[in-house]
Amino acid sequence: MSELNLYKNITIVIVLYQESFELLSKTLNTINSFKKIIIDNNGNIELKKKIKSQFSVDQYILNKKNNGFSAGYNQGISLSNTEFTLVLGPD
């Protein structure tokens, strides 16, 4: 499998709750070639706007309440349409 195909076959799911833009941007800079789904359990619309303006994110979901990390990861995994899914902490 070529490197390009590898990137297309993996979705990275990140679940947030009150993380800073600086922390999340460092993480996103290291995974920029992969498909990304962010689940924000804090519903931070301002963070979403900043991230979407500076990074390519396939889906950014704002939850109205904190459903917890496990539920957030399950939500992201269910949205993934690639062969592999990697769950990653924002830090």
Side-chain angles (χ1 to χ4, degrees):
M1 179 179 297
S2 73
E3 187 174 317
L4 181 60
N5 286 337
L6 176 66
Y7 292 135
K8 290 181 179 181
N9 284 317
I10 298 175
T11 297
I12 298 178
V13 176
I14 301 172
V15 175
L16 307 176
Y17 185 76
Q18 296 183 341
E19 276 74 23
S20 69
F21 172 77
E22 291 76 19
L23 176 66
L24 185 56
S25 63
K26 287 178 185 177
T27 301
L28 293 174
N29 277 325
T30 63
I31 60 170
N32 58 0
S33 297
F34 294 94
K35 292 184 176 186
K36 294 169 283 304
I37 297 173
I38 297 175
I39 307 295
D40 189 336
N41 275 336
N42 196 36
N44 187 338
I45 188 73
E46 294 304 317
L47 180 60
K48 178 180 181 177
K49 288 178 185 177
K50 284 175 101 173
I51 293 298
K52 295 280 280 184
S53 72
Q54 295 185 30
F55 297 95
S56 172
V57 175
D58 296 280
Q59 294 184 59
Y60 194 118
I61 308 299
L62 292 173
N63 286 337
K64 293 182 181 181
K65 68 175 192 166
N66 181 4
N67 296 316
F69 278 104
S70 297
Y73 283 124
N74 287 334
Q75 182 182 9
I77 290 167
S78 72
L79 296 170
S80 175
N81 62 359
T82 55
E83 185 175 359
F84 302 103
T85 304
L86 172 71
V87 296
L88 182 67
D91 55 354

